[in-house]
Amino acid sequence: MSNDLVLRVIGRLLIPFILLFALYVQFHGDFGPGGGFQAGVIIAAGLIFFALTHGVNTVRKVVPDWLVETMVASGVLIYAGVGLAGLLFGGNYLDYFVLDHNPVHGQHRGIFWVEVGVATTVSGVMLKIYYMFASRSGLED
Amino acid sequence: MAIAVFALILTRNLFSVIVLSGIYSFLMATILVALDAVDVAMTEASVGAGISTVLLLGALHLCKSKEAKPVHKPWLPLAVSVSTGALLVYGAFGLPEFDDPAAPIHQNVVPRYMQNETDVPNVVTAVLASFRGYDTLGETTVVFTAGAGLIALLRRRKKAAPEGARRKGEA
Amino acid sequence: MVGHFFYIITVFLMIAGLFIIIARGNLIKKLVGLSIFQTSVYMLYIVPGKLVGGTAPILSSQYTLYSNPLPHVLILTAIVVGVATLALGLALAVRIREAYGSIEEDEILARDHAVRATEAAKEEYA
């Protein structure tokens, strides 16, 4: 499959749009359908598509293993950190109303960072899963 | 969708099974859009039809692609499933009807969610990240744990033992 | 009867998944069955939240009737967790294949029995 010219060219052309769409889904999640879970999955799906057409090692150069593993852990830490921030500002754990002088803005800020954490973990885990299966099966070439 | 499910049960070529389950996921996503669950449909289309299909194919690449002919007769499992199903259908008639605004699901906390306290128009996002933040923290941790477990299962050891010795140790 | 029709569809999907899990010996097929079972649970949660004439729960001044957002939230996370656990199951299947050379339940059991029989014979001999 990695030798098909059409697939290679389309993979190269589509990858920016897929990632852009993922970011749109991530940041427009407040107003339309979308959010961290979907955005994370779309990022991972775009990169997996690129890996299928150009080989896993091409993607590994851009998103190396250590980065993926850091993403997996840091997403959960960002999420938990938002909770702790709520504590530091004098509220309850995961209380967003205290994150800004204006409670509603605080909510926006809290939701934003939580979604960032979710997207990071989800895309990291999905990519890592794909890497593990691909490196087992010799799909690297 | 029923056709896809029957084909799934009957097919023994695992490659077709996986492609059929991808089709099934897309049909499921369509139904979810019809049921107004746009966020869920989006997730189902990208996860069910995209990621799981790739993962199943990756796993299939490592295993045999043909299912063995079943040695047991399917009558006992069929009887168990059908009797369970009959029991569940009987029980389902005690549940609220479809499109019943007085059903308990529309009564308890949902009216408060709909008041838009967080000024986020997409209620699903607001509930997910704010009202039920603990839930989502737990779910993220589950995803993290699954990833960690997978790394533990599939990571190649830095110094691989010779094939024969490894086999003996595992058997 | 009409009001409960969707429960019958849900139960059909559920028993289809259950049948695949019980009746088929192939581990990958079992996992596909498990995910069908899972989708039946999605139906069970989402359908009661739908109100005919309502719209998706994205607030706007043009609409007054919305479907229930709570099941959507629960199922959204369930789908992502579901794929993570599916991957974990597949990883187990791959490891089993490496250790036993097969992902058919019967062959794995047969091999286990064979190993146990040889060990018992060895003990008797000693």
Side-chain angles (χ1 to χ4, degrees):
Chain A
M1 183 141 85
S2 52
N3 291 326
D4 193 323
L5 183 69
V6 177
L7 275 179
R8 285 179 75 95
V9 171
I10 288 181
R12 206 164 274 246
L13 278 178
L14 276 186
I15 187 87
F17 295 106
I18 294 176
L19 293 182
L20 193 68
F21 180 64
L23 291 178
Y24 166 76
V25 167
Q26 165 85 34
F27 296 118
H28 203 258
D30 291 3
F31 310 103
F37 283 101
Q38 292 94 331
V41 171
I42 292 173
I43 291 175
L47 289 174
I48 289 174
F49 175 53
F50 197 73
L52 283 172
T53 49
H54 287 75
V56 174
N57 284 339
T58 328
V59 177
R60 268 223 169 98
K61 267 178 216 149
V62 184
V63 193
D65 275 309
W66 63 264
L67 182 63
V68 175
E69 279 165 25
T70 317
M71 276 163 73
V72 171
S74 62
V76 180
L77 288 179
I78 292 174
Y79 201 132
V82 175
L84 285 181
L87 280 183
L88 286 180
F89 283 95
N92 293 322
Y93 190 71
L94 288 176
D95 182 359
Y96 309 143
F97 283 118
V98 292
L99 292 181
D100 198 284
H101 300 300
N102 183 342
V104 173
H105 286 181
Q107 281 286 341
H108 279 288
R109 192 171 286 180
I111 290 177
F112 175 82
W113 284 107
V114 159
E115 296 277 8
V116 168
V118 169
T120 317
T121 295
V122 170
S123 62
V125 168
M126 296 298 159
L127 264 183
K128 187 70 197 169
I129 291 171
Y130 178 72
Y131 279 180
M132 299 311 278
F133 277 109
S135 61
R136 281 254 156 188
S137 57
L139 281 176
E140 288 110 335
D141 49 319
Chain B
M1 202 147 100
I3 299 171
V5 173
F6 274 121
L8 263 175
I9 297 175
L10 295 177
T11 324
R12 278 220 305 282
N13 186 336
L14 287 178
F15 184 75
S16 354
V17 166
I18 290 169
V19 173
L20 276 171
S21 79
I23 294 171
Y24 172 82
S25 281
F26 269 126
L27 291 173
M28 194 71 197
T30 323
I31 290 180
L32 290 172
V33 172
L35 292 173
D36 291 346
V38 276
D39 287 83
V40 187
M42 198 169 183
T43 323
E44 173 71 19
S46 55
V47 168
I51 304 271
S52 352
T53 310
V54 169
L55 290 181
L56 282 165
L57 283 177
L60 192 66
H61 189 77
L62 299 172
C63 305
K64 244 186 338 205
S65 72
K66 193 86 180 157
E67 191 185 359
K69 225 177 162 55
V71 276
H72 308 291
K73 286 272 176 287
W75 302 121
L76 179 65
L78 196 65
V80 170
S81 324
V82 168
S83 53
T84 316
L87 207 64
L88 286 172
V89 168
Y90 172 71
F93 282 103
L95 291 172
E97 288 196 357
F98 178 60
D99 186 35
D100 178 8
I105 189 172
H106 298 298
Q107 298 303 325
N108 294 321
V109 284
V110 174
R112 189 182 157 198
Y113 292 156
M114 286 302 189
Q115 282 166 8
N116 203 5
E117 274 173 52
T118 58
D119 193 30
V120 170
N122 186 354
V123 186
V124 174
T125 306
V127 176
L128 182 95
S130 182
F131 291 103
R132 293 190 159 254
Y134 276 107
D135 266 18
T136 314
L137 178 60
E139 309 274 8
T140 317
T141 317
V142 171
V143 173
F144 167 75
T145 316
L150 195 105
I151 294 172
L153 274 172
L154 283 188
R155 185 191 284 283
R156 282 200 190 284
R157 292 177 196 88
K158 282 279 183 297
K159 231 174 85 179
E163 189 72 359
R166 208 163 59 92
R167 277 279 156 76
K168 208 188 282 174
E170 276 162 4
Chain C
M1 186 68 199
V2 179
H4 291 90
F5 181 62
F6 85 89
Y7 286 116
I8 298 174
I9 299 174
T10 310
V11 169
F12 166 72
L13 290 178
M14 203 174 270
I15 62 169
L18 189 68
F19 176 74
I20 296 179
I21 296 171
I22 304 178
R24 300 298 152 143
N26 190 294
L27 294 179
I28 290 187
K29 188 89 176 256
K30 270 182 198 285
L31 284 169
V32 172
L34 201 63
S35 53
I36 289 181
F37 200 118
Q38 221 174 13
T39 50
S40 81
V41 179
Y42 306 161
M43 293 278 282
L44 186 66
Y45 269 69
I46 299 279
V47 180
K50 164 80 177 169
L51 289 174
V52 172
T55 179
I58 295 167
L59 299 178
S60 152
S61 52
Q62 292 156 3
Y63 299 99
T64 49
L65 189 62
Y66 301 99
S67 291
N68 194 331
L70 188 55
H72 301 185
V73 175
L74 301 177
I75 294 309
L76 181 71
T77 46
I79 292 178
V80 178
V81 169
V83 76
T85 46
L86 173 77
L88 200 63
L90 285 173
L92 275 173
V94 167
R95 294 287 291 139
I96 287 173
R97 154 90 182 166
E98 281 173 356
Y100 287 86
S102 164
I103 50 166
E104 295 288 337
E105 215 173 38
D106 303 316
E107 292 173 21
I108 294 168
L109 275 178
R111 224 188 117 147
D112 257 359
H113 286 310
V115 169
R116 212 167 294 155
T118 6
E119 274 170 7
K122 257 185 211 162
E123 267 172 30
E124 233 168 71
Y125 182 72

